[in-house]
Amino acid sequence: MGWDGFTRRTYLAAVAGGLTAGCGGRADEAPTPSATATAEPIKTESPEPTAEAAASLGAAFERGSGTCALDAAAIPDGTWPMTHHDPAGTNAAPAVNGPTEFPLNERWTMSALEAQVTFPVADDRFVYLVAADPDTDPSVPVSAVLCHDPRRNGEIQWRRRVDAVPIGPPVTADGTVYVAFGTPESARVQAIDRADGSLRNVYDLPGRFVGGLATAGTSLVMPTEDAYRVVDARTGEHCWSFAPNALRGSERRDRKIRAAAVADGAAFVGTGYPDGQPTTGVGHLYAVDPSIPGMRWHAPVDGPVGRVAAAEGAVVATTGNGVVGFDPRAGERLWAATAESSVRPATLAVADGVAVYGTRRTLHGLDVATGAERWSLPFGVRGDVIVVGDVLYAVGRTDPTSQRILLAAVDAGTGTPRWQQEIYDPIVDVMAAGGYLYSITSDGRLFAFSSV
């Protein structure tokens, strides 16, 4: 079955205006790679040594009564349990997770009828997302946590109505689905049983939530703008938190938490000015080790941190105008690469020795060990990028002046285009699990693709 001539066949009952499932169709062509140059990797001095970091800690690290472990164990094959796939934030999964042969075939579609939908996540059985009805009275918002069975053409296994707006996508771990609801200033996390959608627990989240809910071992990470907060995923008990603004001598303007990743027993927390605030041109990266407890190291970077990924023996972070790599243990800056224009702050994937990031005009692949550019491609990304096996998936344009939006597949190691498809639906993001490539659109649809 190809991408053309599909009709939407299966009707699923609605929780907020109606949900339908079925199929649709599209056509294909391929881009041409073009080499561009970036600056040579820059060697800089190591950041503050551990002793100085500990001396400046002040009240930044707070230990709670919980005993959760910050563990970045391997994610089971075929699953995509959180945004960016794993605690390390790599946006990379093995080939078994999704299609790696082309062209792709649209297998099934869910439509939430103009609802706002979150990024989907998946465990070994189901796919989860939240649909929010934008047309209801703001004083009585309506959302639905939806559990789809991909093996039954996306059939809804269960739905849970919540009279609140979701803040960020769900997370799944150990048979539980976690979703934050409310407002950024007053958020609550619901722990929902994956078997039947029943409510297991509710956790309050103090502070302004930034939407980066994640799990790491028995830890549930619930960051706010001012604190990286970790609770026991089983009980909701506070284990520990790190507040950059409580560091001695910190500048509150540029130390708002924007991104984080977990690896090697530490949380790597990136900060910068909040979106929409006056810029300072400075960001910070902190390696927080709860076993010390405190900081392993701290390093300033040129611009606010957009994304952090910890893999391949390095901590990689995007900044305002480039990408930097640090040693995860010592905090030594290994390299820095400057982009030809502003880096898309939410675009980063690290796999098999390559770190991929994008700008408005170009997609780049860097060597994780040295920061040297391996390849570049004239493709302006619109959102994040993911790696499935040796395939990089991205949504964007080959020509920044064009209105044509493409879903493209590229060889992650060489940048060689393998397939692309013009997209008529406004795709926002993609992920891969259980052999399917999933995409969500701005008009409330979830597509599931597989190889023909």
Side-chain angles (χ1 to χ4, degrees), residues 60-101:
F61 188 90
E62 178 186 353
R63 176 75 77 185
S65 57
T67 57
C68 54
L70 192 66
D71 181 17
I75 297 298
D77 288 357
T79 70
W80 199 287
M82 67 193 79
T83 309
H84 311 319
H85 182 252
D86 55 8
T90 63
N91 252 9
V96 69
N97 269 51
T100 55
E101 300 295 330

Side-chain angles (χ1 to χ4, degrees), residues 12-52:
L12 299 177
V15 65
L19 295 166
T20 59
C23 307
R26 313 287 179 265
D28 68 6
E29 59 184 305
T32 305
S34 173
T36 59
T38 58
E40 289 295 318
I42 302 169
K43 289 288 184 179
T44 65
E45 295 183 0
S46 299
E48 306 169 33
T50 302
E52 291 183 28

Side-chain angles (χ1 to χ4, degrees), residues 47-58 248 292 294-298 330:
E48 306 169 33
T50 302
E52 291 183 28
S56 66
L57 193 60
R248 295 189 181 97
I292 296 177
M295 285 193 297
R296 286 184 187 173
W297 49 266
H298 154 241

Side-chain angles (χ1 to χ4, degrees), residues 220-451:
L220 179 63
V221 180
M222 302 190 295
T224 65
E225 273 192 351
D226 296 310
Y228 182 86
R229 185 177 179 86
V230 179
V231 305
D232 190 318
R234 301 158 294 186
T235 65
E237 230 181 340
H238 176 222
C239 294
W240 59 272
S241 57
F242 171 71
N245 288 328
L247 290 167
R248 295 189 181 97
S250 67
E251 291 288 338
R252 299 183 68 88
R253 293 182 304 167
D254 57 17
R255 303 203 185 192
K256 298 294 186 182
I257 293 173
R258 293 169 58 95
V262 173
D264 190 34
F268 300 95
V269 181
T271 68
Y273 54 85
D275 292 337
Q277 296 294 318
T279 65
T280 63
V282 177
H284 296 267
L285 192 61
Y286 303 89
V288 186
D289 188 338
S291 68
I292 296 177
M295 285 193 297
R296 286 184 187 173
W297 49 266
H298 154 241
V301 295
D302 297 329
V305 174
R307 276 284 314 283
V308 180
E312 312 283 339
V315 179
V316 180
T318 61
T319 65
N321 63 351
V323 186
V324 290
F326 288 90
D327 182 288
R329 296 297 303 182
E332 176 189 1
R333 182 179 291 198
L334 303 175
W335 51 263
T338 303
E340 80 283 356
S341 61
S342 296
V343 172
R344 295 292 195 191
T347 302
L348 180 65
V350 178
D352 296 326
V354 179
V356 179
Y357 74 97
T359 69
R360 182 173 176 268
R361 295 179 178 274
T362 313
L363 201 56
H364 297 273
L366 303 181
D367 188 289
V368 174
T370 66
E373 184 170 277
R374 287 194 182 182
W375 56 264
S376 65
L377 192 69
F379 190 89
V381 292
R382 285 170 53 91
D384 213 340
V385 293
I386 68 169
V387 175
V388 182
D390 61 356
V391 178
L392 174 79
Y393 285 103
V395 177
R397 300 183 176 98
T398 54
D399 179 356
T401 64
S402 171
Q403 296 301 309
R404 297 178 64 219
I405 303 300
L406 305 173
L407 172 60
V410 175
D411 187 286
T414 65
T416 304
R418 295 181 60 175
W419 174 86
Q420 77 174 29
Q421 174 65 56
E422 185 170 358
I423 300 299
Y424 299 97
D425 300 291
I427 286 181
V428 177
D429 241 324
V430 292
M431 72 90 165
Y436 293 95
L437 177 72
Y438 293 96
S439 68
I440 56 169
T441 67
S442 59
D443 60 0
R445 279 178 284 184
L446 171 69
F447 289 91
F449 302 109
S450 67
S451 299

Side-chain angles (χ1 to χ4, degrees), residues 142-177:
V142 176
S143 299
V145 183
L146 304 173
C147 172
H148 294 271
D149 188 338
R151 298 167 185 82
R152 297 182 177 178
N153 290 326
E155 177 183 337
I156 292 181
Q157 181 76 10
W158 53 257
R159 61 177 63 80
R160 177 177 180 80
R161 173 176 168 144
V162 180
D163 292 336
V165 175
I167 317 171
V171 164
T172 177
D174 296 326
T176 304
V177 183

